[in-house]
Amino acid sequence: MPQVTLDATSYTLANNETVLDGLLRHGQHVPHACKAGACQACLVKAVSGVPSDKARRGLKPGLQAGGYALACQWVPDSDVEVKLPGLDEAASALTIASLDMLGPSIMRVRLTPASGSIMFQSRPGQYLNLINPAGVSRSYSIANDFDTDAYVELHVANTPQGLFTQWLFNSARPGDLVHARGPAGDCFYVKDDTQDYPIVLAGTGTGLAPLHGIVHDALRQRHGGPMTLLHGGSVPERLYYVDELHALAESNAGFHYQALTLASPGNDSRIRQGDLAEATLASLDPARLADTRVFLCGAPEFVQALRKKIFLKGVKSAHIFCDAFVSRPVAAT
């Protein structure tokens, strides 16, 4: 069986075991989150051995050229040696500029480059892997355009089991330093020659974050086709940016917005009671399915189930965009 060496100590890997799983099984503390090759939290650098193509997929060319790989995707066929990269090697330093509540359990986090740092290139809708001072990692989607705003906006739900989340809600303060790896992901607006194709965006909870960024990016680039955003929550309190998005729809004729909740919205006329998946399917124009683009974000079960239904209805698989985050406990270093 191949061995993996970390910090001058070698560990034997099991058959078809990844570098990450092998090191964790032997009690080594390696930052990780999704284990799906999405968040890039488990980045390692190859000291010896060549990472597989799968282990380098999604990494920036500079990281690939530097021998970096995703430990969760690397199944070596021979002995390898790796090291954990320092934050100064493969991460950008960011300062928390503000922490604001958008609802009872939703926080807006705004980040700016730390003094002397150069901001990475990003697109609204992509995601970052943040690392806090304790080494805890978590992926969050970008809700705005850094080039326009000079800050990165993230939306975070207060989940009791989230280590990073609890740090943000209970301990983090403006001025604190975090590090970011990425951005990554293909969930963003692409301008093409026609720009008149329909866009449908649907998300649950803080899945609104990337959709919010994509909508503003498309409007900023003068997208010519109809665009519909649907945001759902189990109860009205789970929704946010309702007034802002209604105002955006009123000032942009081609943009339509609907907030939905499973529970009764009471007297709130801004919100409609209904099922988000059903409303999303109903919003698809049967005459334009071939060129419709769909963006789905939020709970993995919602995204996976609705993606299949949208494909079966006639939207091309290549035109359905979603970055599937896997719900797993996040590990600290």
Side-chain angles (χ1 to χ4, degrees):
M1 294 296 179
Q3 291 190 323
V4 57
T5 300
L6 175 69
D7 296 334
T9 302
S10 297
Y11 309 94
T12 300
L13 297 176
N15 187 39
N16 291 321
E17 188 172 39
T18 66
V19 168
L20 175 62
D21 284 340
L23 291 173
L24 293 176
R25 181 169 57 84
H26 286 285
Q28 297 305 299
H29 298 292
V30 181
H32 64 284
C34 74
K35 282 193 174 183
C39 70
Q40 302 187 7
C42 64
L43 199 69
V44 296
K45 185 172 184 178
V47 178
S48 66
V50 179
S52 64
D53 290 342
K54 184 178 181 181
R56 294 182 291 178
R57 190 174 301 155
L59 295 180
K60 293 180 179 179
L63 291 177
Q64 294 187 32
Y68 291 95
L70 300 172
C72 72
Q73 300 299 300
W74 188 4
V75 180
D77 54 13
S78 60
D79 295 348
V80 299
E81 181 179 356
V82 301
K83 74 170 188 175
L84 301 181
L87 291 176
D88 56 343
E89 294 180 62
S92 301
L94 303 173
T95 300
I96 296 178
S98 63
L99 300 168
D100 305 301
M101 297 303 295
L102 297 176
S105 61
I106 306 295
M107 176 184 285
R108 178 176 62 197
V109 181
R110 287 179 172 170
L111 307 169
T112 55
S115 178
S117 296
I118 299 175
M119 187 59 184
F120 44 76
Q121 293 295 314
S122 66
R123 294 294 305 275
Q126 288 188 297
Y127 59 88
L128 301 173
N129 188 68
L130 291 189
I131 307 167
N132 74 4
V136 179
S137 303
R138 180 68 165 86
S139 296
Y140 295 104
S141 295
I142 301 172
N144 72 314
D145 181 15
F146 173 81
D147 290 338
T148 299
D149 300 329
Y151 59 78
V152 174
E153 179 174 319
L154 313 174
H155 302 162
V156 183
N158 189 358
T159 52
Q161 70 274 21
L163 299 179
F164 198 104
T165 299
Q166 291 307 302
W167 174 75
L168 277 175
F169 276 81
N170 299 321
S171 302
R173 297 290 183 272
D176 286 350
L177 194 69
V178 296
H179 286 80
R181 287 181 179 149
D186 301 317
C187 198
F188 54 84
Y189 175 75
V190 177
K191 181 178 181 179
D192 69 9
D193 294 334
T194 60
Q195 279 200 285
D196 65 350
Y197 54 83
I199 297 177
V200 175
L201 311 96
T204 61
T206 53
L208 177 64
L211 306 182
H212 179 272
I214 292 166
V215 164
H216 283 270
D217 194 23
L219 292 174
R220 191 163 40 245
Q221 297 192 55
R222 300 181 183 278
H223 179 74
M227 184 162 45
T228 301
L229 170 62
L230 302 103
H231 183 210
S234 56
V235 294
E237 291 76 20
R238 297 281 185 179
L239 303 176
Y240 62 97
Y241 273 171
V242 176
D243 287 337
E244 178 203 303
L245 291 169
H246 273 299
L248 191 67
E250 290 176 2
S251 60
N252 292 272
F255 172 59
H256 307 280
Y257 164 68
Q258 180 65 67
L260 299 105
T261 181
L262 293 175
S264 171
N267 296 323
D268 194 338
S269 60
R270 306 169 306 161
I271 302 171
R272 180 168 65 87
Q273 185 174 11
D275 181 81
L276 178 60
E278 292 178 1
T280 303
L281 292 170
S283 70
L284 298 172
D285 182 353
R288 299 291 304 273
L289 292 176
D291 62 343
T292 296
R293 271 64 161 180
V294 179
F295 294 87
L296 304 175
C297 297
E301 299 81 6
F302 163 81
V303 170
Q304 293 163 11
L306 186 53
R307 180 176 187 170
K308 181 178 180 179
K309 291 178 181 179
I310 289 172
F311 171 71
L312 291 175
K313 188 155 185 173
V315 177
K316 296 178 181 178
S317 178
H319 290 170
I320 306 174
F321 303 93
C322 48
D323 289 322
F325 293 108
V326 180
S327 298
R328 298 179 186 269
V330 179
T333 54

